[in-house]
Amino acid sequence: DGGITQSPKYLFRKEGQNVTLSCEQNLNHDAMYWYRQDPGQGLRLIYYSQIVNDFQKGDIAEGYSVSREKKESFPLTVTSAQKNPTAFYLCASRTGQGARGYTFGSGTRLTVV
Amino acid sequence: AQSVTQPDIHITVSEGASLELRCNYSYGATPYLFWYVQSPGQGLQLLLKYFSGDTLFQGIKGFEAEFKRSQSSFNLRKPSVHWSDAAEYFCAVGGASATNKLIFGTGTLLAVQP
């Protein structure tokens, strides 16, 4: 079955370390997104990519970086510059038809220790 | 400005009772509207979506939503709530262009009493 796979499900990071969250999709979707979720704040867009080798900053891109070398993959790196990285991170993808067909992964919970 | 407002942060209903979750949106073009549900520690699952046409839409799990253009609302309803419906519900709005992103509300947490 097609879907989005996020790994790992739980991730612990020491302060000052960079960490990369994986997001892979086999839906042949063009666009991919990273959202951050904090209690009471809904989903906030970090980065998104409409096509391979291209990506744009979302609303809260500071302290994060991404790459889109393959259509199937959109990894997110949380750098040491992100002041408050503890959160639940969600990856999503969609077809090229407007706002239709958003599919979400099951998320990665990142905790800084 | 484009935005989605879910005025109820937390709602508690009794099992078997009816449910209505409110959603108001602000969008400059014809909106595409969505309701998602999230169980704890999980991703978001699409409940239903509106693109055009009728005002009342049926989704999965017995949910329905009514689109009212004059009120910029897209409220989610269920006639009889089950204990398994306890979750967080998100309303989202987007546009037809391939470059449009979804804008999410802050969510409504639903608790179901036995």
Side-chain angles (χ1 to χ4, degrees), chain A residues 9 37 45 50 94 98-99 102 105, chain B residues 34 36 38 41 95-96 98 102:
Chain A
K9 189 169 181 63
Q37 187 176 22
L45 183 63
Q50 304 284 355
R94 66 159 174 78
Y102 266 61
Chain B
F34 304 82
Y36 286 89
Q38 184 182 35
L102 285 189

Side-chain angles (χ1 to χ4, degrees), chain A residues 86-108:
Chain A
T86 294
F88 190 54
Y89 291 87
L90 286 162
C91 180
S93 71
R94 66 159 174 78
T95 68
Q97 298 177 16
R100 305 184 185 205
Y102 266 61
T103 302
F104 282 85
S106 57
T108 293

